[in-house]
Structure formats: structure tokens, C-alpha cells
Amino acid sequence: MHVAGKKVLVTGGSRGIGRAIALGLARAGADVITCYRTESEAVASLVAELKEIPGDHQVIRADVTNADDVAALIDECRLRFTRLDAIVNNAGVISHIPFAQLEIDEWRRVVDSNLTAAARIVQAALPLLGEGSSVVNVGSRVAAVGIPLRAHYTAAKSGLVGLSRSLAKELGPRGIRINVVAPGPIQTEAETPPAVLERYKTMIPLGRLGRTDEIASVVQFLVSDQASFINGETINVDGGI
Ligand code: NDP
């Protein structure tokens, strides 16, 4: 996939799927700015790994739910890259709460992180986007299906699909593509309880959880010029669940 020389912003690159996306794009020759919220060993190791990969890479602390942080993040993209060929809105949070006990603050935290942040980032970055730019929003397969205890999360991820469909129509005439990648259950550094793992294995026809690189490769395709006619689409990456 041709992404060499592309200037890319990936949110939430310190762990999990975002880390695989950021490192995969950098290894494929893109220049990558990525962000995280919390200082951790994972951030230090990401900085070290990116240093070993040729290209202009930067890891920045920026909370995507904070307007000032987003403004500073996009400023850094402008100063360093002058343009953005791609944005990957990957940062997100989840919680499992019965709807009856779901507090409005928790609703807002999850919707802000998974949906509003993506809208805010694309809006702030509009002057940097142009003909050939690609926005990839990381949604979730479960948004289209529904699942107990995650009404807030699935509402936010479904909103991401609506946002992407409308922006595809509004920004398409400027040559900007917007798509969603909707992962099924993916194995990250986070512990998956054995019982949950077993349940997933029976639910997923391929009999296993997905790997982070299996999401990263699809994101990389959508960033690449080989996906130049794909716009407003949601690609499920879920082992056939
Ligand atoms: P992780 O929790 O493993 O990693 C999330 C990353 O996003 C971390 O780097 C985290 O940094 C960062 N992040 C979270 N909130 C913010 C914020 N407000 N500002 C900046 N960075 C932030 O998540 P996953 O890798 O599991 O998930 C990545 C995406 O994929 C999410 O959008 C998720 O909803 C989606 N997804 C994941 C699935 C899975 O099975 N794992 C399935 C379907 C969808 P920090 O350490 O600072 O919090």
C-alpha cells in the first residue's frame, strides 16, 4: 500500500490498536504525529520505537476531549507538516454500565471521547486537508448490532457512522474522503477474562480475537491512494461475527 511520504495524525497511539496503526504507517514510510492522554511506560517505549523508524515522527500529550489540547495538536501538525494527508481518529474509551445506572457525566465522557473528539479534530484540521486527504474514524462492529451495558458507547460509535456519511458528502467535493473501520473484538494489551475469551471464540467464525495489525492494515489501505474511490463507507473487520 502506498503511504510513503504521507503526513498522518493518529490519535491515541500509545496503546492497543492506535499503537499498531501509528507504527504500521511509520514503517510503511508515512510521517506520523500521534497523541496520548496519560504518561506511561507505553508512551516512552512508543517514542523509542518511532525513533528507530526513518521519517519525521512525533508523540504529543494531547487529550482529544480538550479543545485547547486539540488546537495545540493541530497547530503542531501545521507547523511540522504544513498539511495532513490523513487523520486516524482512533482514541476512544469504553465502560460497561447498566443503562439504569448510567450517569450523565459518564455518558458525556464516552460520547465526548468516541464521537465529539473526532468531529472537533476534523473541523480544526480542515485547513490542512485537501485533495487526496483521507479521514479514518475507528468505530466498532458492535455499534450496528447493539449490546447490553454499552448503550452510551454504541450510541457514540453509531454517531461516528452518521458523522462520516455526512462529511463524506460535504467534503467529497474537495477531494477529502471519510470512512469508518469497525473492529470486532481485538486482542490488545488489556487482559481479556478467560470466560469472555471463550465466548468470543464461539461467536467469531474464525475462532479467535482479531490482532491489532489486522485493523492497522485496513486503516493503512484507507489512508493509501489505492482506496481513492472509497468514501462514506464502513468496513467491518470482525472475523465474520
Ligand atoms: P486502548 O484503551 O487499548 O487504547 C486507547 C488509546 O487511546 C490509548 O493510547 C489511550 O491513551 C488513548 N486515548 C484514550 N482517550 C484519549 C483521549 N481523551 N485523548 C488522547 N488519547 C486518548 O483502546 P483500543 O486499542 O482497544 O481501542 C482503540 C479504538 O478502537 C477505540 O476507538 C475503540 O473504541 C475501538 N475498538 C476497540 C475494540 C477492541 O476490541 N479493542 C473493538 C472495537 C472498537 P491513554 O493511555 O492516555 O488513555
Side-chain angles (χ1 to χ4, degrees):
M1 281 171 280
H2 303 149
V3 296
K6 287 195 184 288
K7 312 288 187 191
V8 184
L9 168 64
V10 180
T11 67
S14 57
R15 295 185 284 115
I17 292 170
R19 187 181 181 102
I21 293 170
L23 286 169
L25 283 163
R27 286 193 193 105
D31 294 323
V32 176
I33 290 180
T34 188
C35 75
Y36 63 96
R37 183 184 38 177
T38 320
E39 296 297 344
S40 67
E41 187 46 47
V43 175
S45 69
L46 177 67
V47 171
E49 274 191 65
L50 281 173
K51 214 169 255 168
E52 297 300 311
I53 304 172
D56 187 2
H57 314 303
Q58 178 90 348
V59 182
I60 296 172
R61 206 211 71 80
D63 180 343
V64 296
T65 64
N66 179 298
D68 291 341
D69 282 13
V70 168
L73 178 66
I74 300 302
D75 245 17
E76 184 63 27
C77 293
R78 187 175 49 76
L79 289 171
R80 219 174 168 93
F81 290 164
T82 70
R83 67 172 203 275
L84 278 173
D85 300 306
I87 298 173
V88 183
N89 284 306
N90 161 81
V93 295
I94 192 167
S95 60
H96 308 76
I97 303 176
F99 188 62
Q101 280 124 52
L102 184 60
E103 305 273 357
I104 191 66
D105 283 353
E106 180 60 4
W107 170 277
R108 288 204 177 106
R109 184 182 78 91
V110 168
V111 173
D112 276 2
S113 305
N114 290 290
L115 174 59
T116 313
R120 182 184 273 143
I121 284 172
V122 174
Q123 194 180 48
L126 275 179
L128 305 187
L129 301 173
E131 183 66 43
S133 294
S134 167
V135 175
V136 183
N137 292 322
V138 179
S140 176
R141 181 69 181 99
V142 82
V145 182
I147 188 167
L149 312 185
R150 271 167 266 184
H152 51 334
Y153 176 77
T154 51
K157 292 299 196 186
S158 299
L160 214 42
V161 173
L163 172 74
S164 306
R165 295 281 307 155
S166 291
L167 288 185
K169 297 221 154 78
E170 191 168 332
L171 303 180
R174 290 175 49 186
I176 303 167
R177 299 181 292 109
I178 325 273
N179 293 288
V180 174
V181 169
I186 304 299
Q187 185 74 66
T188 63
E189 303 91 332
E191 281 283 309
T192 311
V196 176
L197 201 59
E198 278 316 303
R199 188 157 47 84
Y200 281 147
K201 280 184 183 168
T202 57
M203 279 165 60
I204 300 171
L206 292 181
R208 62 173 176 86
L209 271 65
R211 300 187 310 267
T212 56
D213 65 284
E214 291 173 314
I215 303 302
S217 58
V218 178
V219 170
Q220 199 167 304
F221 168 63
L222 287 172
V223 166
S224 79
D225 297 333
Q226 281 140 314
S228 52
F229 206 51
I230 302 181
N231 191 24
E233 198 52 69
T234 295
I235 301 187
N236 297 317
V237 187
D238 62 3
I241 206 164

